[in-house]
Amino acid sequence: MRRNVYSGEWMEVVTEEVQLPNGHRVALDIVRHPGASAVVPFVSDEDVLLIRQYRYAAGGYLYEVPAGKLDAGEAPEVCAARELEEEAGQRAGRLEKLGSIWTTPGFTDERIHLFAAYELEEVPQRLEDDEVLEVIRMPLPRALDMVWNGELSDAKSALALVHAGRRKGLLG
């Protein structure tokens, strides 16, 4: 059984009765989400771009990598390239897949695809009405320090940076 609780512009909340692997039947509230992409932009071999973005739900500004929701039928790498241009004002000459993550699998099916972007070219930003942000350049080791000390606590961004750091040989 499935009951639609809420349908919004980019997500829906449903209650589904499911049978678990142990045979128990339970009702679960699930947030259905189309997924997203996040991208670590490399402006040099060592320097990356972060965005410092106002997030109302979090009560202030957060450090993040450019990211956004997949449009209907959009491939994750296309979304990553689009969000990089819109938020950071950079066009990627090359994207590299870093992995993907489940955000909070206890209640949502949202999956975020992680990328690194290289060979960047500056283009005009195209911010949406709800985006209040500034772009900040820094060495990747500094961005990783921000993860370790809690200054950068956005999970998708932290994991994207950790993946990028490992690819660069900075982590074991």
Side-chain angles (χ1 to χ4, degrees):
M1 179 190 92
R2 176 183 165 128
R3 182 174 57 91
N4 191 359
V5 176
Y6 169 81
S7 282
E9 187 175 324
W10 53 267
M11 72 168 196
E12 67 178 336
V13 179
V14 297
T15 299
E16 294 183 8
E17 188 174 312
V18 300
Q19 184 167 333
L20 300 176
N22 64 4
H24 295 166
R25 293 194 66 76
V26 296
L28 297 175
D29 293 331
I30 306 290
V31 175
R32 296 290 180 196
H33 188 283
S37 290
V39 57
V40 178
F42 279 88
V43 291
S44 71
D45 193 44
E46 182 177 300
D47 287 355
V48 298
L49 297 177
L50 294 182
I51 58 175
R52 183 174 172 268
Q53 184 165 3
Y54 179 75
R55 294 294 192 179
Y56 177 80
Y61 285 87
L62 296 178
Y63 288 98
E64 304 179 39
V65 298
K69 176 189 71 62
L70 294 170
D71 289 339
E74 185 177 41
E77 59 275 3
V78 172
C79 177
R82 175 177 50 78
E83 290 295 331
L84 178 62
E85 289 188 20
E86 289 177 1
E87 294 183 355
Q90 299 289 325
R91 178 171 293 137
R94 179 171 57 93
L95 284 174
E96 182 179 305
K97 180 86 181 217
L98 297 173
S100 62
I101 60 171
W102 296 103
T103 59
T104 43
F107 68 86
T108 183
D109 61 357
E110 180 186 18
R111 189 174 187 104
I112 300 181
H113 305 273
L114 309 176
F115 294 88
Y118 303 96
E119 302 161 15
L120 302 182
E121 170 191 345
E122 194 168 332
V123 297
Q125 275 182 307
R126 298 184 312 275
L127 298 178
E128 296 178 19
D129 289 342
D130 66 340
E131 292 178 318
V132 178
L133 60 86
E134 67 176 303
V135 179
I136 300 168
R137 179 179 178 152
M138 71 179 61
L140 179 57
R142 168 67 181 119
L144 289 169
D145 285 344
M146 291 172 66
V147 172
W148 309 138
N149 71 25
E151 194 177 351
L152 189 155
S153 57
D154 174 64
K156 72 180 176 313
S157 300
L159 279 170
L161 289 163
V162 166
H163 278 278
R166 186 159 192 239
R167 289 275 172 95
K168 290 286 189 179
L170 300 175
L171 305 171

